[in-house]
Amino acid sequence: MSDEIVIDVRGLTKSFGGRKVVDDFDLKVPRGAIYGFLGPNGSGKTTTIRMVCGLLKPESGEGEVLGFDVLKESLKIKERVGYMTQKFSLYEDLSIRENLEFIARLYELDHRDDRVDKALVDLGLAERQGQLAGKLSGGWKQRLALAACMIHEPELLLLDEPTAGVDPKARRDFWDQIRRYSAQGVTTLVSTHYMDEAVQCDSIAYIAYGKKLIDAPTGDIPAQIGLSCWRIAGRPLMQAHAMLEQSEGVELVARFGAAMHACGKDAAALERAVRAVKVAQPHLQIEKIEAGFEEIFIYLMSGSIDNFQ
Amino acid sequence: MKLLDLSWSRVFAVFLKELVQMRRDRPTFAIMIMMPVMQLVLFGFAINTDPRHLPAVVEMREDGPLTRAFLASLHASSYIDIVAITQGPDEAEAMLRSGDATFLISIPEGFERRLVRGERPQMLIAADASDPVAAGGAIGAIERIAQSAFAPEFQGPLGYLARPPPAYEIVVHRRYNPAGVSAFNIVPALLGVILTMTMVLITSIALTRESERGTMENLLATPIRPLEVMIGKTTPYIGVGAIQVAIVLIAATLLFRIPFAGSFLAFLVAVTLFIFANLMLGYLISTAARTQLQAMQMTFFIFLPSILLSGFMFPFRAMPDWAQAIGTALPITHFLRIVREIMLKGAGFTDIVGDLLPLALILLTLATLALLRFRRTLD
Ligand SMILES: Nc1ncnc2c1ncn2[C@@H]1O[C@H](COP(=O)(O)OP(=O)(O)O)[C@@H](O)[C@H]1O
Ligand SMILES: [Mg+2]
């Protein structure tokens, strides 16, 4: 990572049908970083990424990507960015090789055959290069899409939920690849729904209802949110669970094996709620714990942000 | 926005991709090839019409009370519209050939003198029979007009002329299709209809399909330019058009025994221009349609006037002005005239310029509109 800023956008705003889908969005991503982009479904991640790579015109805001103006120089940006769409958007009726060749021609790459060959070998798809892309399984489609958006050796990768619906092994392989690119100085902005992926990012930007609420190095996020948590153990938990969900001050109740974690931002209210449960069900053990990344993540992705901020 | 900044590598990429996709889409490809065959069979028979207001040029080498009375009756008739009156044959012949007139009515010098003397002079009607239905109806009409125009004149001192046989003789020359075969008119015109239908239909989904399948997002994320997409996406279908042209031409000569009288080079230029115009028309639709169904509906919206108002179904000159105005804006109208002139009348380049230029203009307009309409973003 260096001090150079690869994505520097300010005040990006976009509405659909009069509703602000992305509202006054700022982002600074330094070169070589793996920047995680988190948020519940429909929070505006895809829309933001599309604005960053020039696929949507922001109605207000400005910024530079790789030093080029997002509003005026989108062609220059497109030449240097690899964008992997949320939905598979290569041609299902073209073969794996034909898809890669098509993309290589669009970027006017030299040594096209060599590059395509190499991409196929890296992908482990050399033997199946003649197979139609539409016949591939989800995991292979993702890898093909990644290969396609890397073939022109972009300086910046924009990955929109690249591993959604992919098995854990394929996801690990995928992330190993992202880290290798990062080591080579490629910057990555990746949206995800998986916690194990979020923790691998250097920094995380969290967006909900189109507004960016958190933007910090991954390690700083628990402290920033200031979530208090209690661990409740014992059997049965059913009744306690129901009670906690009704209680004031409890914003999140999540099961962790035989125990249950109750979390909230108002430490005093949370403690009152947990103690009330203990009084009602004395067989349970309660214990105050440090909010881990898991609780934070569940809290963020559950979309319960009404009383947040 | 630099529209003309283009990379042949990217054009070729899109071209190749479309070609491969077309090859993989067997049913569509088969339909495009079967379409001309089907249409030839279906439309091989005549479509009956009752034409009116057909343009006629009158070559008057005589000026007397009797011929003037005849002329007045022609003017009054709803079958014929006199578009010009000439003294010499050259101008009149040229108008017939260019299609500005469907009839040439020629009254020779000394007609009245010989009529009065009872020498039964000839009046010549040359008809453009490349549309035999129109020609047939109007020839009969002219004969009736002559009869009723002369009847009041053949009274009193000229009463002896009213007795049979008729005091004059009408000689009919059917030009360009002497036998009056319907297929002569229909088959070359079918080429225009087939090309319009298929070329517009295939390209109308060019962009729509990409949007529907979600591949547009990937395409727009690359540095591709609108003009590159347009050229790459439309040119593969020129090949399909060429196959259709070949099928119709072969059927025309072998099945319907239609002569190819004119310049083949002029035909090639015209048909290429026409195919391009249709591809652009379809492509323009694809920039507007949101779904493939919409694209299909818009195509039929274009297709109906192309059949009804182009001179394919009804004689063009016999249509009301508003219909002619719509027809003139359609590529097929000009192509129909060109192809009939070349195949049946033996026309060359100079004869078809009047329709070639409008065709080029339509092509240019459509291409420009399509380029301007192309959405570079997903908005
Ligand atoms: N093209 C569009 N037209 C109308 N609404 C849209 C469009 N794209 C996205 N939206 C809406 O904008 C909101 C944010 O969508 P999106 O950016 O896809 O969110 P995310 O990627 O975080 O799930 C959603 O409510 C979605 O319905
Ligand atoms: Mg999304």
Side-chain angles (χ1 to χ4, degrees), chain A residues 14 46 50 54-57 75 78-79 83 85 87-91 93-95 98 102-103 105-108 132, chain B residues 7 9-10 12-14 16-17 20-21 24 210 213-215 217-225 376-379:
Chain A
K14 182 82 190 173
T46 300
R50 283 174 174 168
L55 276 175
L56 284 176
K57 211 169 176 54
L75 276 179
K78 286 173 182 177
E79 277 166 19
Y83 170 44
T85 54
K87 182 178 166 290
F88 184 69
S89 61
L90 291 170
Y91 297 93
D93 50 351
L94 293 192
S95 73
E98 284 161 350
F102 174 66
I103 300 291
R105 280 200 173 91
L106 289 188
Y107 286 101
E108 299 181 279
L132 293 188
Chain B
S7 134
S9 165
R10 286 194 289 262
F12 186 64
V14 179
L16 210 63
K17 167 190 102 63
V20 172
Q21 287 185 311
R24 301 247 157 92
E210 302 260 355
R213 294 190 185 171
T215 50
E217 187 170 6
N218 207 347
L219 195 63
L220 289 179
T222 72
I224 199 155
R225 271 71 158 174
R376 276 164 177 259
T377 60
L378 292 167
D379 287 279

Short mmCIF file of all heavy atoms in Angstrom, two decimals, chain A residues 14 46 50 54-57 75 78-79 83 85 87-91 93-95 98 102-103 105-108 132, chain B residues 7 9-10 12-14 16-17 20-21 24 210 213-215 217-225 376-379:
data_model
loop_
_atom_site.label_atom_id
_atom_site.label_comp_id
_atom_site.label_asym_id
_atom_site.label_seq_id
_atom_site.Cartn_x
_atom_site.Cartn_y
_atom_site.Cartn_z
N LYS A 14 -27.12 9.48 -6.30
CA LYS A 14 -27.89 8.93 -7.41
C LYS A 14 -29.29 8.60 -6.94
O LYS A 14 -29.47 8.01 -5.87
CB LYS A 14 -27.21 7.65 -7.92
CG LYS A 14 -27.89 7.02 -9.11
CD LYS A 14 -27.46 7.71 -10.38
CE LYS A 14 -28.29 7.27 -11.57
NZ LYS A 14 -27.96 8.07 -12.76
N THR A 46 -24.09 -1.74 -5.45
CA THR A 46 -23.92 -1.90 -6.90
C THR A 46 -23.99 -0.54 -7.60
O THR A 46 -23.18 -0.23 -8.47
CB THR A 46 -25.01 -2.84 -7.45
OG1 THR A 46 -24.88 -4.11 -6.81
CG2 THR A 46 -24.89 -3.02 -8.94
N ARG A 50 -21.06 1.11 -9.86
CA ARG A 50 -21.33 1.50 -11.25
C ARG A 50 -20.98 2.95 -11.52
O ARG A 50 -20.50 3.31 -12.59
CB ARG A 50 -22.80 1.27 -11.59
CG ARG A 50 -23.13 -0.20 -11.84
CD ARG A 50 -24.61 -0.38 -12.02
NE ARG A 50 -24.95 -1.74 -12.40
CZ ARG A 50 -26.19 -2.21 -12.40
NH1 ARG A 50 -27.18 -1.44 -12.03
NH2 ARG A 50 -26.44 -3.45 -12.76
N GLY A 54 -18.09 4.51 -14.17
CA GLY A 54 -18.64 5.25 -15.30
C GLY A 54 -19.84 4.59 -15.97
O GLY A 54 -20.22 4.99 -17.07
N LEU A 55 -20.44 3.60 -15.34
CA LEU A 55 -21.60 2.94 -15.94
C LEU A 55 -22.90 3.66 -15.60
O LEU A 55 -23.91 3.46 -16.25
CB LEU A 55 -21.70 1.50 -15.46
CG LEU A 55 -20.86 0.50 -16.24
CD1 LEU A 55 -20.95 -0.87 -15.61
CD2 LEU A 55 -21.33 0.45 -17.68
N LEU A 56 -22.86 4.43 -14.54
CA LEU A 56 -24.00 5.27 -14.21
C LEU A 56 -23.49 6.68 -14.01
O LEU A 56 -22.38 6.87 -13.50
CB LEU A 56 -24.69 4.79 -12.92
CG LEU A 56 -25.57 3.55 -12.99
CD1 LEU A 56 -26.07 3.20 -11.60
CD2 LEU A 56 -26.73 3.75 -13.94
N LYS A 57 -24.30 7.64 -14.41
CA LYS A 57 -23.89 9.03 -14.25
C LYS A 57 -24.42 9.54 -12.92
O LYS A 57 -25.63 9.55 -12.70
CB LYS A 57 -24.49 9.84 -15.39
CG LYS A 57 -23.62 11.01 -15.77
CD LYS A 57 -24.11 11.64 -17.06
CE LYS A 57 -23.29 12.87 -17.39
NZ LYS A 57 -21.85 12.64 -17.43
N LEU A 75 -14.05 6.86 -20.32
CA LEU A 75 -13.41 5.90 -21.24
C LEU A 75 -12.01 5.54 -20.77
O LEU A 75 -11.59 4.39 -20.81
CB LEU A 75 -13.34 6.48 -22.66
CG LEU A 75 -14.60 6.30 -23.51
CD1 LEU A 75 -14.42 6.94 -24.88
CD2 LEU A 75 -14.95 4.83 -23.67
N LYS A 78 -12.36 3.22 -17.89
CA LYS A 78 -12.76 1.87 -18.30
C LYS A 78 -11.58 1.06 -18.84
O LYS A 78 -11.53 -0.15 -18.68
CB LYS A 78 -13.86 1.96 -19.37
CG LYS A 78 -15.22 2.35 -18.79
CD LYS A 78 -16.23 2.60 -19.89
CE LYS A 78 -17.57 3.05 -19.31
NZ LYS A 78 -18.55 3.35 -20.35
N GLU A 79 -10.65 1.75 -19.51
CA GLU A 79 -9.50 1.04 -20.05
C GLU A 79 -8.62 0.44 -18.96
O GLU A 79 -7.90 -0.52 -19.18
CB GLU A 79 -8.64 2.00 -20.89
CG GLU A 79 -9.15 2.16 -22.31
CD GLU A 79 -8.52 3.35 -23.01
OE1 GLU A 79 -7.44 3.83 -22.56
OE2 GLU A 79 -9.11 3.81 -24.01
N TYR A 83 -14.00 -4.62 -14.02
CA TYR A 83 -15.25 -4.59 -13.26
C TYR A 83 -15.92 -5.95 -13.38
O TYR A 83 -16.19 -6.43 -14.48
CB TYR A 83 -16.15 -3.49 -13.82
CG TYR A 83 -17.57 -3.49 -13.29
CD1 TYR A 83 -17.85 -3.69 -11.94
CD2 TYR A 83 -18.64 -3.27 -14.16
CE1 TYR A 83 -19.16 -3.68 -11.48
CE2 TYR A 83 -19.95 -3.26 -13.70
CZ TYR A 83 -20.20 -3.47 -12.35
OH TYR A 83 -21.49 -3.46 -11.91
N THR A 85 -19.25 -7.83 -12.62
CA THR A 85 -20.63 -7.51 -12.28
C THR A 85 -21.20 -8.51 -11.29
O THR A 85 -20.73 -9.64 -11.19
CB THR A 85 -21.49 -7.53 -13.55
OG1 THR A 85 -21.32 -8.79 -14.18
CG2 THR A 85 -21.07 -6.45 -14.51
N LYS A 87 -24.13 -9.92 -11.36
CA LYS A 87 -24.73 -11.02 -12.11
C LYS A 87 -23.76 -11.37 -13.24
O LYS A 87 -23.15 -10.49 -13.83
CB LYS A 87 -26.06 -10.52 -12.69
CG LYS A 87 -26.85 -11.53 -13.45
CD LYS A 87 -28.17 -10.90 -13.92
CE LYS A 87 -28.85 -11.77 -14.97
NZ LYS A 87 -28.16 -11.80 -16.28
N PHE A 88 -23.63 -12.66 -13.53
CA PHE A 88 -22.74 -13.09 -14.61
C PHE A 88 -23.12 -12.38 -15.90
O PHE A 88 -24.27 -12.44 -16.34
CB PHE A 88 -22.87 -14.61 -14.80
CG PHE A 88 -21.92 -15.17 -15.82
CD1 PHE A 88 -20.56 -15.22 -15.57
CD2 PHE A 88 -22.40 -15.68 -17.02
CE1 PHE A 88 -19.69 -15.75 -16.51
CE2 PHE A 88 -21.53 -16.20 -17.96
CZ PHE A 88 -20.18 -16.24 -17.71
N SER A 89 -22.18 -11.67 -16.51
CA SER A 89 -22.56 -10.87 -17.67
C SER A 89 -21.68 -11.13 -18.88
O SER A 89 -21.53 -10.29 -19.74
CB SER A 89 -22.55 -9.39 -17.31
OG SER A 89 -21.27 -9.01 -16.91
N LEU A 90 -21.08 -12.32 -18.91
CA LEU A 90 -20.40 -12.72 -20.14
C LEU A 90 -21.43 -13.46 -21.00
O LEU A 90 -22.57 -13.66 -20.58
CB LEU A 90 -19.21 -13.62 -19.81
CG LEU A 90 -18.07 -12.87 -19.11
CD1 LEU A 90 -17.03 -13.84 -18.59
CD2 LEU A 90 -17.41 -11.86 -20.04
N TYR A 91 -21.02 -13.87 -22.18
CA TYR A 91 -21.98 -14.48 -23.11
C TYR A 91 -22.09 -15.98 -22.89
O TYR A 91 -21.13 -16.71 -23.05
CB TYR A 91 -21.57 -14.17 -24.55
CG TYR A 91 -21.61 -12.69 -24.81
CD1 TYR A 91 -20.47 -11.90 -24.66
CD2 TYR A 91 -22.80 -12.06 -25.12
CE1 TYR A 91 -20.52 -10.53 -24.84
CE2 TYR A 91 -22.86 -10.69 -25.30
CZ TYR A 91 -21.72 -9.93 -25.16
OH TYR A 91 -21.78 -8.59 -25.33
N ASP A 93 -23.69 -18.07 -24.61
CA ASP A 93 -23.65 -18.85 -25.86
C ASP A 93 -22.30 -18.74 -26.57
O ASP A 93 -22.17 -19.15 -27.72
CB ASP A 93 -24.80 -18.47 -26.79
CG ASP A 93 -24.90 -16.96 -27.00
OD1 ASP A 93 -24.20 -16.20 -26.30
OD2 ASP A 93 -25.70 -16.54 -27.85
N LEU A 94 -21.31 -18.19 -25.88
CA LEU A 94 -19.94 -18.24 -26.41
C LEU A 94 -19.15 -19.19 -25.52
O LEU A 94 -19.45 -19.36 -24.34
CB LEU A 94 -19.28 -16.86 -26.38
CG LEU A 94 -19.81 -15.75 -27.27
CD1 LEU A 94 -18.82 -14.59 -27.30
CD2 LEU A 94 -20.07 -16.23 -28.69
N SER A 95 -18.11 -19.78 -26.10
CA SER A 95 -17.28 -20.67 -25.29
C SER A 95 -16.41 -19.84 -24.35
O SER A 95 -16.31 -18.62 -24.49
CB SER A 95 -16.42 -21.54 -26.19
OG SER A 95 -15.40 -20.76 -26.76
N GLU A 98 -13.82 -18.10 -26.39
CA GLU A 98 -14.39 -17.02 -27.21
C GLU A 98 -14.70 -15.79 -26.36
O GLU A 98 -14.48 -14.65 -26.80
CB GLU A 98 -15.65 -17.51 -27.92
CG GLU A 98 -15.36 -18.42 -29.10
CD GLU A 98 -16.57 -19.26 -29.52
OE1 GLU A 98 -17.58 -19.29 -28.79
OE2 GLU A 98 -16.48 -19.90 -30.57
N PHE A 102 -12.93 -12.26 -26.97
CA PHE A 102 -13.78 -11.09 -27.22
C PHE A 102 -13.32 -9.92 -26.35
O PHE A 102 -13.08 -8.81 -26.85
CB PHE A 102 -15.23 -11.46 -26.93
CG PHE A 102 -16.19 -10.30 -27.00
CD1 PHE A 102 -16.44 -9.67 -28.20
CD2 PHE A 102 -16.86 -9.86 -25.87
CE1 PHE A 102 -17.34 -8.61 -28.28
CE2 PHE A 102 -17.75 -8.80 -25.94
CZ PHE A 102 -17.99 -8.18 -27.14
N ILE A 103 -13.18 -10.19 -25.06
CA ILE A 103 -12.76 -9.13 -24.14
C ILE A 103 -11.36 -8.63 -24.51
O ILE A 103 -11.10 -7.42 -24.55
CB ILE A 103 -12.77 -9.65 -22.69
CG1 ILE A 103 -14.18 -10.11 -22.29
CG2 ILE A 103 -12.27 -8.58 -21.72
CD1 ILE A 103 -15.19 -9.02 -22.14
N ARG A 105 -9.95 -8.54 -27.38
CA ARG A 105 -10.03 -7.69 -28.58
C ARG A 105 -10.59 -6.31 -28.22
O ARG A 105 -10.15 -5.30 -28.75
CB ARG A 105 -10.93 -8.32 -29.64
CG ARG A 105 -10.24 -9.40 -30.43
CD ARG A 105 -10.96 -9.64 -31.76
NE ARG A 105 -10.18 -10.56 -32.55
CZ ARG A 105 -10.35 -11.88 -32.51
NH1 ARG A 105 -11.26 -12.40 -31.73
NH2 ARG A 105 -9.58 -12.66 -33.25
N LEU A 106 -11.56 -6.29 -27.32
CA LEU A 106 -12.16 -5.00 -26.95
C LEU A 106 -11.12 -4.09 -26.31
O LEU A 106 -11.19 -2.87 -26.44
CB LEU A 106 -13.32 -5.20 -25.98
CG LEU A 106 -14.59 -5.82 -26.55
CD1 LEU A 106 -15.71 -5.77 -25.52
CD2 LEU A 106 -15.04 -5.09 -27.81
N TYR A 107 -10.15 -4.68 -25.61
CA TYR A 107 -9.11 -3.85 -24.99
C TYR A 107 -7.91 -3.68 -25.90
O TYR A 107 -6.88 -3.15 -25.48
CB TYR A 107 -8.69 -4.46 -23.64
CG TYR A 107 -9.73 -4.25 -22.55
CD1 TYR A 107 -10.58 -5.27 -22.19
CD2 TYR A 107 -9.85 -3.03 -21.91
CE1 TYR A 107 -11.54 -5.10 -21.20
CE2 TYR A 107 -10.80 -2.83 -20.91
CZ TYR A 107 -11.64 -3.87 -20.57
OH TYR A 107 -12.58 -3.68 -19.60
N GLU A 108 -8.02 -4.16 -27.12
CA GLU A 108 -6.95 -4.03 -28.12
C GLU A 108 -5.63 -4.56 -27.59
O GLU A 108 -4.60 -3.90 -27.73
CB GLU A 108 -6.78 -2.57 -28.55
CG GLU A 108 -8.03 -1.98 -29.18
CD GLU A 108 -7.82 -0.54 -29.62
OE1 GLU A 108 -7.92 0.35 -28.74
OE2 GLU A 108 -7.54 -0.33 -30.79
N LEU A 132 -19.21 -24.07 -23.62
CA LEU A 132 -20.00 -22.84 -23.57
C LEU A 132 -20.03 -22.31 -22.13
O LEU A 132 -20.20 -23.07 -21.18
CB LEU A 132 -21.43 -23.09 -24.04
CG LEU A 132 -21.62 -23.45 -25.51
CD1 LEU A 132 -23.10 -23.46 -25.86
CD2 LEU A 132 -20.88 -22.47 -26.42
N SER B 7 -11.95 1.90 -33.24
CA SER B 7 -10.90 0.90 -33.31
C SER B 7 -11.44 -0.32 -34.05
O SER B 7 -12.47 -0.88 -33.69
CB SER B 7 -10.47 0.50 -31.90
OG SER B 7 -10.39 -0.91 -31.78
N SER B 9 -10.19 -3.15 -34.16
CA SER B 9 -10.07 -4.35 -33.32
C SER B 9 -11.37 -4.58 -32.57
O SER B 9 -11.87 -5.70 -32.48
CB SER B 9 -8.91 -4.16 -32.35
OG SER B 9 -8.98 -5.11 -31.31
N ARG B 10 -11.93 -3.50 -32.04
CA ARG B 10 -13.18 -3.65 -31.28
C ARG B 10 -14.36 -3.94 -32.19
O ARG B 10 -15.23 -4.74 -31.87
CB ARG B 10 -13.43 -2.39 -30.43
CG ARG B 10 -12.51 -2.31 -29.21
CD ARG B 10 -12.99 -1.27 -28.23
NE ARG B 10 -12.81 0.07 -28.74
CZ ARG B 10 -11.78 0.85 -28.44
NH1 ARG B 10 -10.86 0.43 -27.60
NH2 ARG B 10 -11.68 2.05 -28.95
N PHE B 12 -14.19 -5.54 -34.95
CA PHE B 12 -14.04 -6.93 -35.34
C PHE B 12 -14.45 -7.87 -34.20
O PHE B 12 -15.06 -8.91 -34.43
CB PHE B 12 -12.59 -7.20 -35.76
CG PHE B 12 -12.37 -8.57 -36.32
CD1 PHE B 12 -13.00 -8.96 -37.50
CD2 PHE B 12 -11.57 -9.49 -35.66
CE1 PHE B 12 -12.83 -10.23 -38.00
CE2 PHE B 12 -11.40 -10.77 -36.17
CZ PHE B 12 -12.02 -11.13 -37.34
N ALA B 13 -14.12 -7.47 -32.97
CA ALA B 13 -14.51 -8.28 -31.81
C ALA B 13 -16.03 -8.48 -31.79
O ALA B 13 -16.52 -9.60 -31.65
CB ALA B 13 -14.04 -7.61 -30.53
N VAL B 14 -16.76 -7.39 -31.96
CA VAL B 14 -18.22 -7.47 -31.90
C VAL B 14 -18.75 -8.24 -33.11
O VAL B 14 -19.62 -9.11 -32.99
CB VAL B 14 -18.84 -6.06 -31.85
CG1 VAL B 14 -20.35 -6.13 -31.81
CG2 VAL B 14 -18.32 -5.30 -30.64
N LEU B 16 -17.27 -10.57 -34.87
CA LEU B 16 -16.99 -12.00 -34.72
C LEU B 16 -17.95 -12.64 -33.71
O LEU B 16 -18.48 -13.73 -33.93
CB LEU B 16 -15.56 -12.16 -34.24
CG LEU B 16 -14.83 -13.42 -34.68
CD1 LEU B 16 -14.69 -13.45 -36.17
CD2 LEU B 16 -13.46 -13.47 -34.01
N LYS B 17 -18.16 -11.94 -32.62
CA LYS B 17 -19.05 -12.45 -31.58
C LYS B 17 -20.47 -12.64 -32.12
O LYS B 17 -21.10 -13.67 -31.89
CB LYS B 17 -19.07 -11.47 -30.42
CG LYS B 17 -20.18 -11.71 -29.42
CD LYS B 17 -20.30 -10.57 -28.44
CE LYS B 17 -21.41 -9.62 -28.71
NZ LYS B 17 -22.74 -9.97 -28.69
N VAL B 20 -20.63 -15.68 -34.38
CA VAL B 20 -20.64 -16.94 -33.63
C VAL B 20 -22.01 -17.15 -32.99
O VAL B 20 -22.58 -18.24 -33.05
CB VAL B 20 -19.54 -16.93 -32.54
CG1 VAL B 20 -19.68 -18.15 -31.65
CG2 VAL B 20 -18.17 -16.89 -33.18
N GLN B 21 -22.56 -16.09 -32.43
CA GLN B 21 -23.88 -16.21 -31.79
C GLN B 21 -24.95 -16.57 -32.81
O GLN B 21 -25.83 -17.37 -32.53
CB GLN B 21 -24.25 -14.91 -31.07
CG GLN B 21 -23.44 -14.71 -29.80
CD GLN B 21 -23.89 -13.48 -29.03
OE1 GLN B 21 -24.02 -12.41 -29.60
NE2 GLN B 21 -24.10 -13.64 -27.75
N ARG B 24 -24.71 -20.16 -33.64
CA ARG B 24 -25.19 -21.05 -32.58
C ARG B 24 -26.70 -21.02 -32.47
O ARG B 24 -27.31 -21.93 -31.93
CB ARG B 24 -24.61 -20.61 -31.23
CG ARG B 24 -23.12 -20.60 -31.19
CD ARG B 24 -22.53 -21.64 -30.25
NE ARG B 24 -21.17 -21.96 -30.64
CZ ARG B 24 -20.09 -21.34 -30.15
NH1 ARG B 24 -20.24 -20.41 -29.24
NH2 ARG B 24 -18.90 -21.66 -30.58
N GLU B 210 -28.84 -7.78 -25.43
CA GLU B 210 -27.73 -7.58 -24.50
C GLU B 210 -28.24 -7.03 -23.17
O GLU B 210 -27.78 -7.43 -22.11
CB GLU B 210 -26.70 -6.60 -25.09
CG GLU B 210 -26.12 -7.02 -26.41
CD GLU B 210 -24.74 -7.66 -26.29
OE1 GLU B 210 -24.17 -7.68 -25.19
OE2 GLU B 210 -24.23 -8.14 -27.33
N ARG B 213 -30.20 -9.85 -21.27
CA ARG B 213 -29.38 -10.92 -20.70
C ARG B 213 -28.36 -10.40 -19.70
O ARG B 213 -27.62 -11.17 -19.10
CB ARG B 213 -28.64 -11.65 -21.81
CG ARG B 213 -29.57 -12.39 -22.73
CD ARG B 213 -28.81 -13.28 -23.67
NE ARG B 213 -29.71 -13.91 -24.63
CZ ARG B 213 -29.30 -14.59 -25.68
NH1 ARG B 213 -28.00 -14.74 -25.90
NH2 ARG B 213 -30.15 -15.14 -26.50
N GLY B 214 -28.27 -9.08 -19.57
CA GLY B 214 -27.34 -8.50 -18.61
C GLY B 214 -25.92 -8.36 -19.14
O GLY B 214 -25.04 -7.91 -18.44
N THR B 215 -25.71 -8.73 -20.41
CA THR B 215 -24.36 -8.64 -20.95
C THR B 215 -24.01 -7.20 -21.33
O THR B 215 -22.85 -6.88 -21.53
CB THR B 215 -24.22 -9.53 -22.19
OG1 THR B 215 -25.30 -9.26 -23.08
CG2 THR B 215 -24.27 -11.00 -21.79
N GLU B 217 -24.06 -4.70 -19.45
CA GLU B 217 -23.29 -4.08 -18.38
C GLU B 217 -21.80 -4.34 -18.57
O GLU B 217 -20.97 -3.45 -18.41
CB GLU B 217 -23.76 -4.62 -17.02
CG GLU B 217 -23.11 -3.90 -15.87
CD GLU B 217 -23.71 -4.25 -14.52
OE1 GLU B 217 -24.57 -5.15 -14.47
OE2 GLU B 217 -23.30 -3.62 -13.54
N ASN B 218 -21.49 -5.56 -18.95
CA ASN B 218 -20.09 -5.90 -19.19
C ASN B 218 -19.55 -5.16 -20.41
O ASN B 218 -18.44 -4.64 -20.42
CB ASN B 218 -19.97 -7.41 -19.40
CG ASN B 218 -18.60 -7.91 -19.00
OD1 ASN B 218 -17.68 -7.13 -18.80
ND2 ASN B 218 -18.46 -9.20 -18.90
N LEU B 219 -20.39 -5.11 -21.45
CA LEU B 219 -19.98 -4.46 -22.69
C LEU B 219 -19.69 -2.97 -22.44
O LEU B 219 -18.69 -2.43 -22.90
CB LEU B 219 -21.09 -4.62 -23.73
CG LEU B 219 -20.72 -4.33 -25.17
CD1 LEU B 219 -19.66 -5.30 -25.66
CD2 LEU B 219 -21.95 -4.41 -26.07
N LEU B 220 -20.57 -2.34 -21.69
CA LEU B 220 -20.40 -0.91 -21.43
C LEU B 220 -19.25 -0.63 -20.46
O LEU B 220 -18.76 0.48 -20.40
CB LEU B 220 -21.70 -0.32 -20.86
CG LEU B 220 -22.87 -0.20 -21.83
CD1 LEU B 220 -24.09 0.36 -21.12
CD2 LEU B 220 -22.49 0.68 -23.01
N ALA B 221 -18.84 -1.65 -19.72
CA ALA B 221 -17.73 -1.45 -18.79
C ALA B 221 -16.39 -1.48 -19.53
O ALA B 221 -15.36 -1.13 -18.97
CB ALA B 221 -17.75 -2.51 -17.70
N THR B 222 -16.40 -1.89 -20.78
CA THR B 222 -15.18 -1.88 -21.58
C THR B 222 -15.12 -0.56 -22.35
O THR B 222 -16.13 0.14 -22.44
CB THR B 222 -15.16 -3.04 -22.60
OG1 THR B 222 -16.11 -2.75 -23.62
CG2 THR B 222 -15.50 -4.36 -21.94
N PRO B 223 -13.96 -0.24 -22.88
CA PRO B 223 -13.87 1.08 -23.56
C PRO B 223 -14.51 1.12 -24.95
O PRO B 223 -14.09 1.89 -25.79
CB PRO B 223 -12.36 1.33 -23.63
CG PRO B 223 -11.70 0.03 -23.43
CD PRO B 223 -12.65 -0.89 -22.77
N ILE B 224 -15.51 0.33 -25.21
CA ILE B 224 -16.11 0.30 -26.55
C ILE B 224 -16.91 1.57 -26.83
O ILE B 224 -17.50 2.16 -25.92
CB ILE B 224 -16.98 -0.96 -26.73
CG1 ILE B 224 -17.20 -1.22 -28.21
CG2 ILE B 224 -18.29 -0.86 -25.97
CD1 ILE B 224 -17.48 -2.66 -28.53
N ARG B 225 -16.88 1.99 -28.10
CA ARG B 225 -17.58 3.21 -28.53
C ARG B 225 -18.88 2.84 -29.25
O ARG B 225 -18.96 1.78 -29.87
CB ARG B 225 -16.71 4.01 -29.51
CG ARG B 225 -15.78 5.02 -28.87
CD ARG B 225 -14.66 4.36 -28.15
NE ARG B 225 -13.51 5.26 -27.97
CZ ARG B 225 -12.44 4.93 -27.25
NH1 ARG B 225 -12.38 3.75 -26.65
NH2 ARG B 225 -11.45 5.76 -27.13
N ARG B 376 -24.69 5.23 -23.38
CA ARG B 376 -23.37 4.81 -22.97
C ARG B 376 -23.34 4.35 -21.53
O ARG B 376 -22.36 3.84 -21.03
CB ARG B 376 -22.39 5.99 -23.08
CG ARG B 376 -21.82 6.18 -24.44
CD ARG B 376 -21.22 7.57 -24.47
NE ARG B 376 -20.57 7.81 -25.74
CZ ARG B 376 -19.27 7.72 -25.92
NH1 ARG B 376 -18.48 7.42 -24.92
NH2 ARG B 376 -18.75 7.96 -27.09
N THR B 377 -24.41 4.62 -20.82
CA THR B 377 -24.46 4.21 -19.42
C THR B 377 -25.70 3.35 -19.23
O THR B 377 -26.48 3.15 -20.15
CB THR B 377 -24.56 5.43 -18.49
OG1 THR B 377 -25.74 6.14 -18.84
CG2 THR B 377 -23.36 6.32 -18.63
N LEU B 378 -25.87 2.84 -18.03
CA LEU B 378 -27.03 1.98 -17.76
C LEU B 378 -28.24 2.80 -17.33
O LEU B 378 -29.27 2.25 -17.02
CB LEU B 378 -26.69 0.98 -16.66
CG LEU B 378 -25.65 -0.08 -17.02
CD1 LEU B 378 -25.17 -0.79 -15.79
CD2 LEU B 378 -26.23 -1.06 -18.01
N ASP B 379 -28.10 4.12 -17.32
CA ASP B 379 -29.22 4.97 -16.85
C ASP B 379 -30.49 4.72 -17.66
O ASP B 379 -30.43 4.59 -18.86
CB ASP B 379 -28.85 6.45 -16.98
CG ASP B 379 -27.85 6.84 -15.92
OD1 ASP B 379 -28.26 7.08 -14.79
OD2 ASP B 379 -26.65 6.88 -16.25
#
